[in-house]
Amino acid sequence: MQKVTIWALCALILPVLAAQDAKKPGGPFTFNLGSLKLRPYGFAEGIGLSRSADSTDSVSTKFGSIPLGDSDNETIGSARHSRMSLHGDLKTGPVQFTGYLESDFMNFTPSQSPYRWRQYWAQARYGKWELLGGQAWSMLRPNRKGIATESDMLNTDVIEPAYHVGLVGSRRRQLRLTRTEGNYTMAVAWEANGNWVFKVARESGKIHLEAGGFSGRSDRRGGFLAQVVPLSPKLRIVGQQFSASRGADEALGIAPKFDSGMSAIEGVEAQITKNLELYSYAGFVYAKRAPGNRAVNEYSLGFNRRVPAPGMWGSMLFSLQYSHFNRATWLDRVGHMDYVMYRVRYVIN
């Protein structure tokens, strides 16, 4: 619990110490410690979940292990997805240094603190080059823009803390080298599971396209495409397509380790008004014949409604999501699950 106490005290005390330097409500909360510019942010969140199957999962669903056969329904809730982040910038000559910390309370390992680090990394930028080291999102996870790991990730807009079936990549310790050249961003990374990952992203107006792949130990290899394409100013389609040999477990661990397979997710996001968004996604993972899962599908529909909080740093977010799952194994066992998730979040930005 010591880490929880230290991080909580930092989150509470630093803004108070820096109150004289902070910007007024209406913009991001920032303050300076000498030449170091710091920005704390995050959110406090409560999630409720009603599902048609009795599962040992928390509000973060283990997609590859939803119940097989019939079971009782259940309703649970949690505030453990609440998150704290701290971004720091320091300019030294021609080099821009950036550091980032991100944490929540989603550690469910028995006898351990619920607190966990999601991301912790440092980055140096020199001209068109960036070098990042630490724990960050794998480059297999797609972006909405660029290749940054702090923001603009294509994690979908769902409430689900585990995101959505069909996405690829998780947070992992890594060393990453990135270069930006015009509308293109290119990067290569070594990740702690032994993968070498490369990615190229291109921006064309509001269209974002990317392609990448990986190669690792035990002859693991694969590739993916991803896209964000606006159909109109208020409507966009998003997606990722992935195929791997002996590396299909990169799709959120749904396929058995060292199995081959493929996955995909496709979605439509509609910005109805400035503060109201509707979304719908469909995703699947398919594994080649092996002990374990053969196929897992998810279909989701939901909305996010943002409500400004006048006079405060932040806003309120109210959300509702419905998802349907199908799971089948190579032993001809099947399972289905429906759930409804609901969320109230206060965002500090």
Side-chain angles (χ1 to χ4, degrees), residues 90-122:
L90 177 65
K91 180 76 170 179
T92 304
V95 181
Q96 174 82 39
F97 293 98
T98 300
Y100 183 66
L101 299 172
E102 181 182 277
S103 60
D104 63 17
F105 302 91
M106 296 291 286
N107 181 11
F108 293 93
T109 304
S111 77
Q112 293 187 8
S113 166
Y115 179 87
R116 69 170 183 175
W117 292 106
R118 292 170 55 89
Q119 298 191 65
Y120 47 87
W121 49 262

Side-chain angles (χ1 to χ4, degrees), residues 123-293:
Q123 174 181 277
R125 179 183 301 167
Y126 179 79
K128 298 179 180 181
W129 292 95
E130 297 175 5
L131 180 65
L132 178 149
Q135 179 163 298
W137 280 104
S138 167
M139 289 203 304
L140 296 177
R141 180 60 60 95
N143 286 73
R144 293 178 180 272
K145 181 173 63 176
I147 302 182
T149 181
E150 180 182 352
S151 60
D152 296 318
M153 301 299 299
L154 183 51
N155 286 334
T156 71
D157 293 326
V158 297
I159 302 171
E160 171 69 67
Y163 302 111
H164 203 283
V165 171
L167 285 172
V168 178
S170 58
R171 293 178 299 275
R172 196 171 283 146
R173 293 190 301 277
Q174 62 187 270
L175 186 64
R176 177 190 301 190
L177 181 65
T178 304
R179 178 178 174 84
T180 301
E181 195 68 53
N183 293 331
Y184 290 89
T185 307
M186 298 152 283
V188 61
W190 178 86
E191 300 186 353
N193 67 339
N195 283 348
W196 283 97
V197 185
F198 64 91
K199 179 190 277 191
V200 178
R202 183 179 187 273
E203 318 300 326
S204 177
K206 293 186 177 181
I207 297 176
H208 171 82
L209 303 173
E210 61 183 61
F214 74 95
S215 178
R217 293 191 294 257
S218 302
D219 201 28
R220 290 164 52 88
R221 60 188 184 276
F224 71 92
L225 301 172
Q227 54 284 144
V228 177
V229 180
L231 301 179
S232 72
K234 294 187 177 182
L235 184 68
R236 59 188 172 270
I237 58 173
V238 300
Q240 182 183 31
Q241 303 80 40
F242 170 75
S243 179
S245 173
R246 296 182 60 79
D249 58 300
E250 292 288 353
L252 304 186
I254 293 171
K257 195 170 184 180
F258 300 120
D259 199 3
S260 300
M262 62 185 67
S263 69
I265 181 171
E266 306 296 337
V268 178
E269 300 169 345
Q271 197 72 44
I272 304 303
T273 67
K274 178 181 178 181
N275 294 315
L276 176 63
E277 181 182 43
L278 302 181
Y279 60 79
S280 180
Y281 305 103
F284 79 91
V285 174
Y286 173 82
K288 291 189 176 179
R289 194 170 190 92
N293 290 324

